[in-house]
Amino acid sequence: MNKKNIVHGLIMSFILVAPSFLPTLAYSAQDPTVKSTSVSVPVSKGLLGVDNAAKSYLLDLPSGVSASSIKVSTLKYVGNNTLIDGISIESGKIKLKLKGNEKVETFNVKGTDGDIEDNFYSNPGNSIWLYSDGRRWQINEYDKNKDTNTYYIKNADDSTTPSKKPPTVTVLTRSLPQDPSTAKWYRDDGNGNDRVNYSDIIQSNILAIPGKLQNGDVGEAKYNNGRFLVTYVVPSSQRRPEDLPDFMKGGWATGWLYYTVFPYYFTSKAKVTSYSYAGSVTFDYTLPTEPTLTGEVQLLKPNPNPAQATGSDIPVTLSLKGLLNAYTDTSNIQEWVFYVKETGNDSSLLTKKDYSKVLTSTQTFDFKIPKAKTAASSFKQDYTLSVVVRFTKPIVTADGTISSLTQSFTSSAGTYNGSSTPPPTTTPTPTPSTAKPPEARISMPDQVVAGEKFIVSGADSFDPDGTIVKYTWQHPNVEDALYGKSSDTRYDLDSIDTTQTITLTVVDNSGLTATTSRDIKVVAPAPAAKLQIRGTLKENRKLTLHNASKNTADDFPMIPSKTKFTVSAVSGGTNADIKYSGSLSGTDNADILIKVAGQYKATLYVENTAGYSATKSITFTVQPDQAPVPYISMPNTVYRDPSNGNKASVTLDDLSISPDYDYLANRVWEYRYDSDNDGNYAEEAWVLMNNGNLDRINFYPTEVGRYEIRITTKEEFGQPTIDEFVTVNDRKSADTATQNVTERIVTVLNRPPLSDWSW
């Protein structure tokens, strides 16, 4: 019996990669040559964002299944997702689009300073001052019960003068965490470290979680009512010099700020809509009737091909793959042998062997196009490739025995000089012989947008006993003629709302032909308008209207001058409260500013050169800019100090906050003295103490009596604005008029005399 050789002289342009799963296979009861299988859709869960509401898939075929063997009418999606449009074969893969299954989830999140393990750090401290006598230390700390700063005096416990370190005491201080909106938020429930938008965070659940004190410091940090309360032992591991108040300076007086450091992060919960995908695609395909060797060759280098000449050798890398179909006895495989050479040059032959007992094997080969050959305006180097699989024992078939199978290919790499790539050359037609006819197959989309390039491929066509050597296309109304095994083309506007037919005729090396046709629907190239609003949605902040639209056809780009934004008030404000400079037309980014909180509507209009347009509207809410909330922490009673010119010392701390996290840019401290001691401060004038934006000052009154203190704070925005539309009054300010007046009055008394009894 004659040895059977299966020869496919194909220039392969793609590789069907064997998927990582094992498909379920079942033989058809009606036809033993038909087999059923399935391909899994990758399981995806917890996908966030509207971009994941629908997903398209190109699924690799199982090993040993070719696109041409699939019975397209049997393609079926099995799963819980909704199939959008149909299922098709495109470029040798299964193409489908699914709608995601929605799930509203509430899960734990973690807010950090960078990656999920990057903590924030706080370094609060306490002022510890040595008096001028060198032996007494003033311990300043926070009194959480009175919510104010206080101090006490403690004698040194070392024997040197001046004392070298303060006595060992436990002190309390406080600090504020970072604004949670500045954190990077991550899913933190064991399902991964996916990023989460701050807008999805449940604000009322946000907590700051402090860690242990660093550098060996003894104590702990606790989070309470939006702040950290930190207890630690002084002297701590770290300190830095600190200026003393004027009344303490002199002698051995020294000021230190002892501080500690601890890490922290935020926790909360997020409520988001996520999408999931799963399922499989089942189909039937025809089996080869006997062991068959197929394969493919891929040109890895140069890429692109032909390559532009550079004056150096051009590297060429070819990947050759062999695939044994309709055979399962791997123990009978003796070896795989691969041959590659420059066509017509036997001395260039490279050979590789693979002794693995496998049903598929791939090898790569490296060549060079010498720089001398690249000097021509164009040069093409052809390559001849063969893969052989040999069997230990001959295989008995209906037509005889098979000791080995051979598959042959050709490929080419080229170079050119100049600015354009030369056209490819055609493959010579082999001498016809009497044999089985080929089968023609077309892969292409079922629908296309006018002006959009798409690929039409006949690569899935095959010849059961030879090689397909010629592809002839009939394609009325296309803009770019089809040629070879696979190429791209497009339809013009005249074909909109029509169904076109593309026909392929293939010729094999025996001169036999086969013809097939596919229909394709041409639709209008309407653009897809997409509008984004960037910036902080708050009064007097800069907002940017961004055109993120996509055009569906390369031939008909957007017309920049036609792009137009409009903005209108819906509720809360009026159109007069919408400010911008210049024009909202002819730009992809328009800056606006909203003066009054409320609901507004932005609309984008786009148009392409084909005359098709689209609009997109977004209704958004601008939040009010909240005024700061001033608050003063101060003692209620102080005493005049005879050793300091009968001045009293009052430490004033500003605990003001901005409810919407703006920046407190200006602080003005004032007092007024109840000169006639009648409790009526309204008749007294305010006196400026400090306007240097300090959050702590010392006040030194000289007169006995009562003083009312006031602080006025003013904000800066903290986010970009458009200065030309902002007035002085737009920056919010407030004073401590709303704070209980008894908390803002300090009474200055004379220090009582000291008695000394002696006997």
Side-chain angles (χ1 to χ4, degrees):
M1 303 296 292
N2 293 328
K3 179 174 68 176
K4 181 165 183 156
N5 293 322
I6 310 298
V7 180
H8 283 231
L10 303 174
I11 305 175
M12 305 298 287
S13 61
F14 58 87
I15 296 180
L16 298 179
V17 180
S20 58
F21 54 83
L22 294 175
T24 302
L25 303 178
Y27 287 96
S28 168
Q30 290 76 23
D31 187 347
T33 66
V34 175
K35 205 172 189 181
S36 298
T37 188
S38 65
V39 178
S40 296
V41 174
V43 176
S44 302
K45 296 182 178 179
L47 301 180
L48 306 179
V50 295
D51 291 342
N52 289 306
K55 290 181 69 67
S56 296
Y57 293 91
L58 283 175
L59 305 178
D60 292 320
L61 300 180
S63 177
V65 177
S66 65
S68 60
S69 68
I70 294 175
K71 294 181 174 294
V72 177
S73 61
T74 66
L75 287 165
K76 180 181 179 182
Y77 169 72
V78 179
N80 294 326
N81 295 96
T82 301
L83 180 66
I84 302 174
D85 301 326
I87 308 176
S88 61
I89 303 296
E90 185 172 304
S91 300
K93 297 187 178 184
I94 296 174
K95 181 180 180 180
L96 73 160
K97 186 175 183 180
L98 299 175
K99 179 181 178 182
N101 287 327
E102 295 186 6
K103 180 182 179 182
V104 178
E105 292 184 272
T106 300
F107 49 79
N108 296 326
V109 290
K110 180 179 181 181
T112 70
D113 196 26
D115 293 335
I116 193 169
E117 300 300 331
D118 292 340
N119 290 312
F120 291 98
Y121 285 88
S122 182
N123 57 345
N126 292 66
S127 297
I128 310 295
W129 299 336
L130 178 65
Y131 277 27
S132 59
D133 59 13
R135 295 298 300 162
R136 290 180 301 155
W137 290 88
Q138 178 172 316
I139 313 298
N140 298 288
E141 68 170 346
Y142 175 66
D143 186 334
K144 66 178 181 180
N145 295 321
K146 296 181 179 179
D147 192 24
T148 186
N149 290 325
T150 186
Y151 71 93
Y152 59 91
I153 310 300
K154 195 168 180 64
N155 292 326
D157 57 11
D158 56 3
S159 58
T160 62
T161 302
S163 175
K164 298 300 183 183
K165 65 176 183 177
T168 300
V169 293
T170 299
V171 294
L172 176 67
T173 187
R174 71 192 189 285
S175 66
L176 294 175
Q178 289 277 355
D179 180 353
S181 68
T182 66
K184 305 293 188 300
W185 289 90
Y186 298 87
R187 186 173 183 138
D188 191 35
D189 60 357
N191 293 329
N193 298 333
D194 297 331
R195 283 289 300 274
V196 180
N197 292 327
Y198 181 67
S199 59
D200 294 325
I201 306 300
I202 301 175
Q203 303 292 309
S204 60
N205 285 12
I206 295 177
L207 294 175
I209 308 299
K212 293 182 178 179
L213 304 188
Q214 304 289 290
N215 306 310
D217 288 345
V218 177
E220 65 175 343
K222 295 182 178 179
Y223 182 69
N224 184 33
N225 293 329
R227 62 186 176 180
F228 293 117
L229 295 179
V230 186
T231 304
Y232 67 105
V233 175
V234 172
S236 57
S237 62
Q238 299 177 87
R239 71 176 187 178
R240 60 174 178 266
E242 185 177 62
D243 287 338
L244 289 170
D246 292 340
F247 72 89
M248 284 192 62
K249 293 180 179 178
W252 280 305
T254 307
W256 293 103
L257 177 70
Y258 282 85
Y259 62 97
T260 187
V261 178
F262 64 90
Y264 68 93
Y265 59 89
F266 295 102
T267 64
S268 187
K269 290 184 179 295
K271 185 176 182 180
V272 300
T273 299
S274 64
Y275 303 91
S276 61
Y277 295 87
S280 61
V281 176
T282 64
F283 58 91
D284 295 341
Y285 67 100
T286 56
L287 292 168
T289 57
E290 57 187 38
T292 304
L293 181 63
T294 60
E296 55 202 10
V297 61
Q298 186 179 36
L299 181 68
L300 304 180
K301 295 181 182 179
N303 186 13
N305 177 48
Q308 188 169 16
T310 61
S312 303
D313 294 345
I314 301 296
V316 176
T317 300
L318 295 157
S319 174
L320 177 58
K321 176 183 179 181
L323 177 64
L324 188 58
N325 298 311
Y327 191 71
T328 58
D329 186 7
T330 56
S331 64
N332 193 41
I333 297 175
Q334 180 180 1
E335 63 179 2
W336 292 85
V337 186
F338 299 82
Y339 304 95
V340 182
K341 68 176 182 179
E342 296 175 356
T343 302
N345 180 10
D346 292 343
S347 64
S348 66
L349 178 66
L350 299 178
T351 303
K352 290 185 178 181
K353 290 189 176 184
D354 180 5
Y355 296 101
S356 302
K357 296 182 179 297
V358 292
L359 297 177
T360 182
S361 181
T362 303
Q363 300 292 326
T364 58
F365 295 84
D366 294 319
F367 291 86
K368 288 183 179 179
I369 299 177
K371 63 181 180 180
K373 294 183 178 180
T374 67
S377 59
S378 64
F379 174 79
K380 183 170 73 73
Q381 177 63 64
D382 294 324
Y383 297 90
T384 302
L385 310 92
S386 297
V387 57
V388 178
V389 58
R390 295 194 175 104
F391 302 102
T392 304
K393 298 178 180 179
I395 302 170
V396 179
T397 70
D399 296 330
T401 59
I402 301 174
S403 298
S404 66
L405 294 171
T406 301
Q407 174 80 297
S408 296
F409 310 89
T410 61
S411 186
S412 63
T415 65
Y416 68 94
N417 278 294
S419 59
S420 61
T421 304
T425 58
T426 57
T427 303
T429 302
T431 303
S433 61
T434 303
K436 298 177 181 179
E439 279 200 48
R441 295 284 186 269
I442 300 175
S443 294
M444 68 180 191
D446 295 321
Q447 179 174 294
V448 70
V449 172
E452 176 191 15
K453 284 196 172 184
F454 62 98
I455 295 176
V456 180
S457 175
D460 290 335
S461 304
F462 68 97
D463 182 23
D465 62 348
T467 303
I468 296 178
V469 296
K470 187 176 181 180
Y471 299 80
T472 303
W473 300 89
Q474 293 178 341
H475 40 63
N477 302 321
V478 300
E479 290 297 300
D480 304 302
L482 299 171
Y483 60 91
K485 183 191 304 183
S486 180
S487 60
D488 55 35
T489 188
R490 58 202 164 90
Y491 288 98
D492 206 348
L493 298 176
D494 294 338
S495 299
I496 291 175
D497 294 331
T498 66
T499 298
Q500 302 289 329
T501 300
I502 293 178
T503 302
L504 169 64
T505 300
V506 296
V507 181
D508 68 6
N509 60 327
S510 300
L512 301 177
T513 64
T515 301
T516 190
S517 297
R518 284 279 303 273
D519 291 337
I520 185 169
K521 184 178 180 180
V522 184
V523 298
K530 184 176 182 181
L531 171 62
Q532 295 176 343
I533 300 178
R534 299 171 175 176
T536 302
L537 293 172
K538 191 159 62 173
E539 291 173 334
N540 291 303
R541 271 52 170 190
K542 183 177 76 172
L543 301 176
T544 299
L545 307 179
H546 174 64
N547 176 19
S549 305
K550 293 183 179 180
N551 205 27
T552 54
D554 296 334
D555 283 2
F556 308 112
M558 302 285 193
I559 304 174
S561 62
K562 296 286 188 178
T563 300
K564 182 180 180 181
F565 297 98
T566 56
V567 190
S568 59
V570 177
S571 63
T574 66
N575 289 345
D577 299 318
I578 304 168
K579 304 295 183 182
Y580 58 91
S581 297
S583 175
L584 297 183
S585 300
T587 180
D588 287 334
N589 294 282
D591 294 335
I592 66 171
L593 180 142
I594 307 295
K595 298 293 295 181
V596 176
Q599 200 171 56
Y600 296 82
K601 181 179 180 181
T603 301
L604 168 67
Y605 172 89
V606 292
E607 184 176 333
N608 61 21
T609 56
Y612 290 88
S613 63
T615 60
K616 176 65 177 179
S617 296
I618 295 178
T619 299
F620 60 98
T621 301
V622 175
Q623 299 296 331
D625 190 3
Q626 300 181 51
V629 180
Y631 189 88
I632 300 173
S633 174
M634 54 184 278
N636 298 120
T637 305
V638 295
Y639 296 91
R640 295 200 299 176
D641 186 357
S643 66
N644 190 32
N646 265 341
K647 296 178 182 179
S649 177
V650 185
T651 299
L652 305 174
D653 283 297
D654 173 30
L655 302 182
S656 303
I657 63 169
S658 173
D660 53 354
Y661 305 105
D662 288 332
Y663 169 61
L664 298 181
N666 183 256
R667 295 173 173 86
V668 177
W669 294 88
E670 300 169 287
Y671 77 90
R672 55 186 178 185
Y673 173 55
D674 186 6
S675 59
D676 53 7
N677 198 31
D678 64 352
N680 183 9
Y681 293 88
E683 62 189 8
E684 310 291 349
W686 288 104
V687 179
L688 176 67
M689 289 188 288
N690 186 283
N691 61 358
N693 196 33
L694 299 179
D695 59 3
R696 169 183 281 189
I697 68 168
N698 288 299
F699 172 44
Y700 302 104
T702 59
E703 300 293 329
V704 172
R706 290 177 295 182
Y707 296 77
E708 181 184 0
I709 308 299
R710 177 173 76 178
I711 186 173
T712 303
T713 59
K714 189 172 185 178
E715 293 181 344
E716 272 297 339
F717 293 143
Q719 301 92 22
T721 186
I722 304 178
D723 289 330
E724 66 182 291
F725 303 123
V726 176
T727 66
V728 173
N729 293 331
D730 288 331
R731 289 173 168 85
K732 303 293 184 179
S733 64
D735 62 30
T736 45
T738 57
Q739 184 179 353
N740 191 326
V741 68
T742 61
E743 298 176 346
R744 298 187 288 107
I745 292 177
V746 58
T747 301
V748 178
L749 302 174
N750 284 318
R751 192 178 300 277
L754 298 176
S755 297
D756 185 13
W757 295 85
S758 60
W759 297 87

